[in-house]
Amino acid sequence: YFGTSILTGSDSFQEVVVKIERPTYNKPFLGGFRNISTGVEFHNAGSQTKPKKRPDKGIQLFSKETQTVVEKSKQQQTRNTTSTQMTKIGLYVSNMTDKLITPGKYFTAEEYHKRRLEAVIVIQKYCRRWHAINLVQNLKEEKRLRLAWEAQEELQKKREKEEKLRREYEKKLKPKTKEDFELLYHDLELWMQEETERVNRTLTGAERKAALCALLEEETQLIACIGMHRLDANVENQQKAILHLLGKCAQPRRWKAFDGKITEMDTQNSLRGKELLEIYRSINTKDIPKDERTSVLLTLKWTVKEHECKLTQEIMTLIDREIDLMSREVKECNLEGLRKRICTLFLQYIKIPEFNPEVAGLLKVPQDPLKLYKKVYFCHSCKKYLASTEFPIPANSRTIGRCHSCYRLDNEARQREAYWKYRLILENLRKSEVDYQHDSKIVFLVQLPDLKYLIENIWNCQSALSACSDLYDLVMVRWDKQREWSPWNTILLTKEEADAHLKLCNLQKTYEAPFIYRIEQKHIRAKNYFAQIPVMSSYLHRSNNQANANSYK
């Protein structure tokens, strides 16, 4: 800024403050002159200053020159000078190459346009025929692909069903897990009911009593046979559980890097667990030569010799005894008990955190006795103190009842119900809720007895749309996919119906009013059943508020 004086009158001056804006860039030279000696450039004000903008009158104006078209009509004829030489006296012109032109039939403009229209109609006819042929071929191809896809899907469903039946048959033929024995006892109960009904229907009097006694004797033999299979399965499962525990102790540390690659690192404790796992597998191996067995026993002896205690001394004593007996050519069958004792004691050695630090976080019984008082409850049926995870908590229960083992034993002795199909439905439901990533909680509070009641008593073990009663094909999904799953926001459908249902945006426009009314009635029954537990009732009130808000929107 700088000040300057301006003459406003004959003898009066006024001080004016002038603001100078220095541009951050060099202005281009658009006109003026340049001092050759000093190099100073002088710009013309007209070429460097923006013209003053005219005030806007609010009326759009157009000039005559830009809005008026000047037309001019002028006839022109191109010049085409030609000459024709004809035969005359003194000149002969050959006519061998001449052509005789005969005028054709004259047709008017209307006839010309009519012929053009007929040609256009013919072209359109053939073009439409070509489009129709292509459309029919596309429809045939789509139909062929659709039929092939339906046949493939039908074949896939048939194979899946056969595979499920085959797996279920194998589970019954070679039972290994608790679910397998549930299926066996369930089939046994169905067989007993059929046989009892047949005896009551066909026999009377003493013959009926004798047949029922024979049937009871046969049931007793079958139960004993199932018990023998269970003992064998327990031995095999126990060995698998031991190897699984030792495998966890030998696993290296793993973490995912920023690029998605998995990095593994062996620690001192994981290497120790891997060493003990290899030794345990070696001493459990049967039918190996004596020199290899002796080498394994010596390796075990040097491993446990690192820690001096009563357990390690007993293991070393048994190892020396087995080596001595093998040197005396004792039969293998007579050494089975001694080898089993060595395996059992070595397993006890592995489960001690002082000798195997990795096992500390995997033991069910904590090393600190004070931790046993937390989340431990008393089962009034088997008279045992068990962890809270060993107790099922149905929705209608208010106290800690019997443990899982007592429930299973009571089921095998009385009702003999199979929960395997319901367990599959619950697992699929929980997986689908995890995929939503909505932090669903109610689905993890629902237990198998609750889901069984929900499917059997409320949904009648059939699809709400097609009335399909095959539990292998049924799934439970959300009724309103925008809200969290709950027993009062669910529907039982087949897998194909569930996929189509989850694609719907407006249920009121898709389904009819009577169908929606039936579904709402089932939801009300589910609310009345699950409202008995306080935690579930709190979720019930919250879902009601959410539903009211959605309906208001």
Side-chain angles (χ1 to χ4, degrees), residues 509-539:
K509 294 182 179 180
T510 306
Y511 297 118
E512 296 181 354
F515 178 78
I516 297 177
Y517 177 76
R518 292 201 309 268
I519 300 299
E520 291 177 351
Q521 292 299 315
K522 294 180 183 295
H523 291 171
I524 293 174
R525 292 175 57 189
K527 286 181 181 180
N528 296 334
Y529 176 77
F530 285 93
Q532 301 174 13
I533 184 169
V535 178
M536 198 71 74
S537 62
S538 62
Y539 286 104

Side-chain angles (χ1 to χ4, degrees), residues 443-494:
V443 67
F444 296 98
L445 296 176
V446 176
Q447 302 296 324
L448 280 176
D450 305 327
L451 186 70
K452 182 175 180 296
Y453 178 86
L454 187 65
I455 294 176
E456 290 185 354
N457 298 85
I458 296 179
W459 295 97
N460 299 325
C461 291
Q462 61 183 8
S463 170
L465 286 173
S466 60
C468 176
S469 59
D470 189 2
L471 292 179
Y472 283 116
D473 297 334
L474 297 181
V475 292
M476 297 200 80
V477 294
R478 297 181 178 184
W479 168 251
D480 184 3
K481 62 181 180 180
Q482 303 299 332
R483 293 162 49 199
E484 177 186 358
W485 183 92
S486 60
W488 47 90
N489 183 36
T490 184
I491 184 172
L492 187 64
L493 301 170
T494 62

Side-chain angles (χ1 to χ4, degrees), residues 313-326:
Q313 291 177 0
E314 187 175 357
I315 293 175
M316 288 188 292
T317 302
L318 295 177
I319 290 174
D320 294 336
R321 186 183 304 175
E322 182 178 353
I323 294 175
D324 181 56
L325 292 175
M326 285 193 301

Side-chain angles (χ1 to χ4, degrees), residues 102-292:
T102 305
K105 182 180 179 182
Y106 179 78
F107 55 92
T108 62
E110 294 180 358
E111 294 175 350
Y112 171 77
H113 289 295
K114 181 180 179 181
R115 188 173 67 176
R116 290 286 301 271
L117 180 59
E118 292 176 355
V120 168
I121 292 174
V122 172
I123 294 174
Q124 287 182 349
K125 179 173 64 176
Y126 282 95
C127 183
R128 290 173 181 175
R129 178 174 177 268
W130 177 75
H131 280 293
I133 291 174
N134 291 339
L135 179 61
V136 171
Q137 289 179 352
N138 292 335
L139 291 176
K140 287 182 178 180
E141 183 66 18
E142 291 179 0
K143 180 181 179 181
R144 185 186 65 81
L145 295 177
R146 177 70 181 183
L147 293 177
W149 178 80
E150 290 180 356
Q152 186 68 21
E153 288 293 322
E154 191 69 24
L155 183 61
Q156 184 68 19
K157 290 180 184 179
K158 186 177 179 181
R159 288 177 180 175
E160 290 180 358
K161 191 170 184 179
E162 291 177 354
E163 181 66 19
K164 289 179 181 179
L165 294 176
R166 186 186 62 81
R167 282 185 296 174
E168 186 175 352
Y169 178 75
E170 289 182 355
K171 285 176 175 290
K172 297 174 184 178
L173 187 62
K174 298 178 181 179
K176 296 180 180 180
T177 62
K178 299 174 183 178
E179 292 79 10
D180 301 345
F181 288 101
E182 277 186 3
L183 291 175
L184 276 180
Y185 278 105
H186 181 65
D187 289 351
L188 177 61
E189 180 64 21
L190 294 179
W191 176 78
M192 278 294 299
Q193 292 177 1
E194 292 178 359
E195 292 297 320
T196 305
E197 183 181 358
R198 181 184 61 82
V199 170
N200 293 332
R201 186 177 64 254
T202 57
L203 302 177
T204 57
E207 294 180 354
R208 173 179 170 276
K209 292 183 179 180
L212 291 177
C213 290
L215 184 61
L216 182 61
E217 183 67 24
E218 191 173 356
E219 181 187 10
T220 306
Q221 294 178 2
L222 292 175
I223 293 176
C225 183
I226 295 175
M228 294 298 294
H229 282 288
R230 172 169 286 177
L231 292 177
D232 297 338
N234 289 339
V235 173
E236 184 178 355
N237 292 335
Q238 184 179 6
Q239 190 65 23
K240 288 182 180 180
I242 293 172
L243 293 177
H244 181 68
L245 174 65
L246 299 181
K248 283 187 175 181
C249 295
Q251 283 182 353
R253 302 288 183 182
R254 297 180 180 179
W255 64 88
K256 183 180 291 187
F258 66 94
D259 55 354
K261 295 182 179 179
I262 303 296
T263 305
E264 296 184 356
M265 182 185 68
D266 287 318
T267 61
Q268 185 178 2
N269 296 337
S270 64
L271 292 175
R272 174 68 176 178
K274 189 178 297 184
E275 178 186 359
L276 296 177
L277 174 60
E278 294 297 330
I279 295 175
Y280 185 81
R281 285 178 176 174
S282 300
I283 64 175
N284 273 303
T285 305
K286 298 180 180 181
D287 300 331
I288 60 175
K290 292 183 179 180
D291 53 348
E292 293 185 10

Side-chain angles (χ1 to χ4, degrees), residues 271-272 275-280 283 295-308 312 315-316 319 346 349-350 355:
L271 292 175
R272 174 68 176 178
E275 178 186 359
L276 296 177
L277 174 60
E278 294 297 330
I279 295 175
Y280 185 81
I283 64 175
S295 176
V296 170
L297 292 175
L298 291 177
T299 304
L300 174 60
K301 182 178 180 181
W302 286 106
T303 302
V304 300
K305 195 176 181 180
E306 299 174 359
H307 306 87
E308 291 291 338
T312 56
I315 293 175
M316 288 188 292
I319 290 174
F346 182 59
Y349 174 86
I350 293 175
F355 308 146

Side-chain angles (χ1 to χ4, degrees), residues 27 34 99 124 251 288 328 365 427 431 499 538:
K27 298 175 63 177
R34 182 184 292 106
K99 296 180 180 179
Q124 287 182 349
Q251 283 182 353
I288 60 175
R328 298 182 183 183
V365 180
E427 290 177 357
K431 288 179 182 178
D499 295 337
S538 62

